[in-house]
């Protein structure tokens, strides 16, 4: 046991003495969550929109002006029929269409209320949600400041419709996504690199010649990264909870347990990668191209899986991050328990086992 | 050098195959306790394969291999406790200090803290490295790293130390100093099993084996071999065998 503790201590020395490792371990998670949190999700600027004004009266003109004068939106299309809405979205330039119903001003004056339809392109769910919220609040403030101030108690009803993705899958995507990405990076990439480094420097041979058995060597190398990954996960959850007000509806302990399971999976993947690579460079390239990019692009983190071509949907089925993201979203947003996400949990546990068995097998082959 | 008749390494009909390729073809040799045994051969002759089997990094395909009185196949753990190993890469942790490296390697051999501390002190004095005990290995010249790596390899007082091309890339003076250390270890009763490229170093060994294409082609003291192959020096012996 004493030998083992000495070993783990040595591993921490490696980590704390390498500024680059420290930066990846602690700088990156925080930077990423802040970037995805602030830059990607909460700010919108110069979003191009279309307006389909069926009424063309003074009030609809005023509302349109107010929206375009806000600085958030640019009017890029004036539409004349329902069919044009679909076409305009398909061109991919505009993100939102605002539809005023017929005889808008008349209706307001006679019936006291009228409707505006806000249609957003929800294939990018984050942006769609924000864009729609901004539009709504501009309309509401117009209602209060311009109409009610003059004693006109008219009611304008904005109706939001999300096109292409009505359930808004992906709204809270950045927290689970970043978490999956960071844990993958820290656990899988850093362990594979650190094991590959021992091979590259020749120290692995010396360790294997020593009375230390291979299993404690691997566990000793992995434990520090497990601890640090877990700390990272807690930082990410805390940041998203306190700074971005992401809810945690489910049990925090269950959330952390599932996180730990994912860390195990990533670590065993890291070990597997290291058995296949003899230098840090190779380990890094495999991790980068086989893990990071697919995790970002195919796990549903950035692009919703529902919108992918069938072939890529199949590929995404073997991305561990996909299941982890589902688990995290379910626990945090819907408050689900194990009853709902047992399947995903089982898949990740199965993957962990598979990677570990493969590693042991490859390791044995090396010894033969 | 302690002369002994006791065999510390016994290898009989060692065969190692990788698929169809025979890396070690029926090797048979003994190493006596306390001797400096040179293990020579061109690149790809099978030296590294053999040293890996002897040090328990790899299993033989067939044959009997006994190291320090234990069978390498069945009693691997006991073998490991009794051997030291230094590779051509010197195998120190560049981002740990001299002292930390010594403590770490002492630790994985299960030595007590007190023993490690005492021995580290005397070692630092002997190497005249007290001033640099807290410097990172990466800041030291190659020759110093080599000395520390060797000291670390014999820190737990093994019966045998395996040196895999320990003098690669260092200048002749440092190589000479290094051989002084090898002799010292040998005087303390540690058997030294060394592979090398440098034929002048072969002259320093007690006995030498020369491998070519997987099998041992020459075995004996440098004087015997020179006589047997009718050569002026080991360089000539080597060339005659390799051609």
């Amino acid at each position: 046991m004493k030998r083992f503790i000495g070993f783990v201590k040595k591993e921490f020395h490696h980590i704390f003495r390498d500024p680059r490792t420290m930066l990846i371990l602690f700088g990156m998670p925080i930077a990423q969550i802040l970037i995805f949190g602030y830059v990607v999700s909460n700010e919108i600027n110069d979003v191009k929109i279309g307006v389909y004004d069926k009424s063309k009266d003074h009030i609809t003109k005023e509302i349109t002006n107010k929206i375009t004068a806000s600085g958030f939106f640019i009017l890029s299309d004036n539409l004349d029929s329902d069919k044009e809405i679909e076409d305009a979205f398909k061109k991919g330039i505009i993100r939102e269409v605002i539809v005023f119903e017929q005889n808008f001003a008349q209706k307001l004056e006679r019936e006291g209320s009228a409707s505006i339809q806000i249609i957003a392109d929800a294939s990018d769910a984050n942006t769609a949600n924000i864009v729609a919220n901004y539009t709504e609040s501009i309309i509401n403030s117009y209602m209060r400041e311009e109409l009610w101030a003059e004693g006109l108690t008219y009611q304008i009803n904005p109706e939001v419709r999300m096109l292409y993705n009505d359930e808004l899958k992906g709204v809270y995507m950045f927290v689970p996504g970043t978490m999956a990405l960071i844990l993958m990076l820290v656990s899988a990439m850093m362990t594979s690199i650190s094991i590959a480094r021992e091979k590259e420097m020749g120290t692995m041979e010396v360790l294997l010649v020593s009375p230390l058995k291979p299993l404690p060597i691997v566990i000793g190398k992995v434990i520090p990264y497990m601890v640090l990954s877990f700390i990272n996960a807690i930082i990410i959850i805390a940041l998203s909870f306190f700074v971005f007000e992401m809810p945690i509806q489910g049990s925090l302990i269950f959330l952390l347990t599932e996180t730990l399971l994912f860390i195990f999976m990533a670590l065993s993947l890291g070990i597997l990668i290291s058995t296949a690579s003899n230098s840090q460079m190779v380990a890094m390239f495999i991790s980068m191209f086989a893990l990071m990019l697919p995790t970002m692009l195919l796990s549903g983190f950035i692009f919703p899986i529902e919108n992918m071509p069938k072939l890529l949907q199949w590929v995404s089925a073997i991305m561990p991050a996909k299941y982890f993201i589902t688990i995290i979203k379910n626990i945090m947003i819907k408050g689900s328990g194990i009853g709902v996400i047992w399947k995903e949990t089982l898949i990740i546990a199965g993957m962990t086992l598979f990677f570990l068995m493969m590693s042991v097998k490859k390791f044995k082959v090396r010894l033969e | 050098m302690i002369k002994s008749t006791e065999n510390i390494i016994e290898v009989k009909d060692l065969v190692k195959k990788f698929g169809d390729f025979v890396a070690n073809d029926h090797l048979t040799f003994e190493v006596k306790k306390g001797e400096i045994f040179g293990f020579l051969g061109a690149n790809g002759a099978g030296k590294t394969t053999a040293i890996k089997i002897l040090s328990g990094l790899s299993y033989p395909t067939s044959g009997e291999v006994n190291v320090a009185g234990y069978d390498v196949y069945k009693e691997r753990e006991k073998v490991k406790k009794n051997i030291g190993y230094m590779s051509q890469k010197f195998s120190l942790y560049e981002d740990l200090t001299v002292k930390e490296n010594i403590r770490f390697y002492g630790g994985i051999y299960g030595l007590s803290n007190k023993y490690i501390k005492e021995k580290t002190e005397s070692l630092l004095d002997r190497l005249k490295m007290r001033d640099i005990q807290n410097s990172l290995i990466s800041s030291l010249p190659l020759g110093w790293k080599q000395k520390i790596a060797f000291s670390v390899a014999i820190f737990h007082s093994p019966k045998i130390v395996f040196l895999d091309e320990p003098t690669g890339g260092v200048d002749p003076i440092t190589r000479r100093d290094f051989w002084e250390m090898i002799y010292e270890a040998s005087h303390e009763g540690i058997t030294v099993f060394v592979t090398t490229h440098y034929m002048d170093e072969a002259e320093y060994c007690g006995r030498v084996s020369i491998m070519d294409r997987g099998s041992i082609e020459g075995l004996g003291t440098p004087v015997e071999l020179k006589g047997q192959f009718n050569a002026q020096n080991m360089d000539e012996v080597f060339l005659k065998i390799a051609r």
Side-chain angles (χ1 to χ4, degrees), chain A residues 217-249:
Chain A
I217 294 177
V218 171
I219 295 176
K221 286 208 72 76
V222 155
I223 280 186
Y225 291 100
M226 196 177 84
V227 172
L228 295 173
S229 300
F230 197 61
I231 293 175
N232 260 324
I234 292 173
I235 293 176
I236 295 172
I237 293 173
L239 267 180
S240 55
F241 183 75
F242 291 111
V243 181
F244 299 109
E245 291 164 1
M246 169 118 182
I248 303 177
Q249 305 285 359

Side-chain angles (χ1 to χ4, degrees), chain A residues 66-245:
Chain A
K66 187 144 173 115
I67 289 171
T68 49
S70 68
F72 302 121
F73 301 103
I74 292 175
L75 181 58
S76 109
D77 266 328
N78 271 306
L79 310 170
D80 293 315
S81 72
D82 284 327
K83 199 188 155 292
E84 282 178 39
I85 296 177
E86 186 84 28
D87 293 344
F89 274 124
K90 283 206 171 133
K91 273 187 224 147
I93 297 167
I94 58 163
R95 301 214 147 259
E96 183 186 60
V97 169
I98 298 167
V99 185
F100 295 97
E101 67 175 326
Q102 267 169 357
N103 308 322
F104 190 86
Q106 265 183 5
K107 259 186 128 176
L108 268 186
E109 280 153 23
R110 280 192 206 143
E111 297 167 23
S113 77
S115 301
I116 297 178
Q117 200 178 25
I118 299 167
I119 306 170
D121 175 0
S123 57
D124 176 354
N126 260 332
T127 315
N129 204 30
I130 297 156
V131 164
N133 282 338
Y134 272 59
T135 315
E136 253 186 296
S137 64
I138 293 170
I139 292 168
N140 283 333
S141 82
Y142 170 81
M143 195 166 66
R144 277 193 307 271
E145 287 161 22
E146 318 274 322
L147 299 178
W148 295 359
E150 290 172 28
L152 305 164
T153 52
Y154 298 151
Q155 187 67 39
I156 300 174
N157 304 319
E159 290 165 9
V160 178
R161 216 185 112 202
M162 293 295 172
L163 213 57
Y164 306 122
N165 176 8
D166 358 309
E167 286 169 50
L168 273 190
K169 289 171 186 155
V171 179
Y172 285 114
M173 213 51 182
F174 78 93
V175 169
T178 314
M179 210 147 120
L181 190 66
I182 296 291
L183 294 182
M184 208 66 161
L185 191 80
V186 172
S187 310
M189 185 162 110
M190 300 304 276
T191 20
S192 68
I193 290 178
S194 93
I195 295 178
R197 180 167 66 173
E198 299 251 5
K199 284 198 204 169
E200 194 178 322
M201 306 301 288
T203 46
M204 189 53 107
E205 276 184 344
V206 180
L207 293 178
L208 289 174
V209 168
S210 83
L212 278 179
K213 294 204 174 78
L215 192 64
I217 294 177
V218 171
I219 295 176
K221 286 208 72 76
V222 155
I223 280 186
Y225 291 100
M226 196 177 84
V227 172
L228 295 173
S229 300
F230 197 61
I231 293 175
N232 260 324
I234 292 173
I235 293 176
I236 295 172
I237 293 173
L239 267 180
S240 55
F241 183 75
F242 291 111
V243 181
F244 299 109
E245 291 164 1

Side-chain angles (χ1 to χ4, degrees), chain A residues 2-3 7 10 13-14 17 198-203 205-212 367-368, chain B residues 16 52 57-59 77 80 83 85 87 89 91 93-96 100 104-105 107-111:
Chain A
K2 207 193 81 202
R3 278 187 223 173
F7 195 92
K10 177 217 83 170
H13 274 310
H14 290 321
R17 281 189 192 160
E198 299 251 5
K199 284 198 204 169
E200 194 178 322
M201 306 301 288
T203 46
E205 276 184 344
V206 180
L207 293 178
L208 289 174
V209 168
S210 83
L212 278 179
L367 269 186
E368 288 300 309
Chain B
K16 175 72 181 182
K52 277 192 169 160
L57 279 176
S58 166
Y59 289 123
E77 298 313 312
K80 283 177 162 191
I83 61 171
Y85 175 81
S87 80
K89 293 175 183 165
S91 322
Y93 291 100
E94 299 270 320
D95 52 354
L96 298 186
E100 282 165 349
F104 172 72
Y105 280 116
I108 61 173
Y109 278 91
L111 305 174

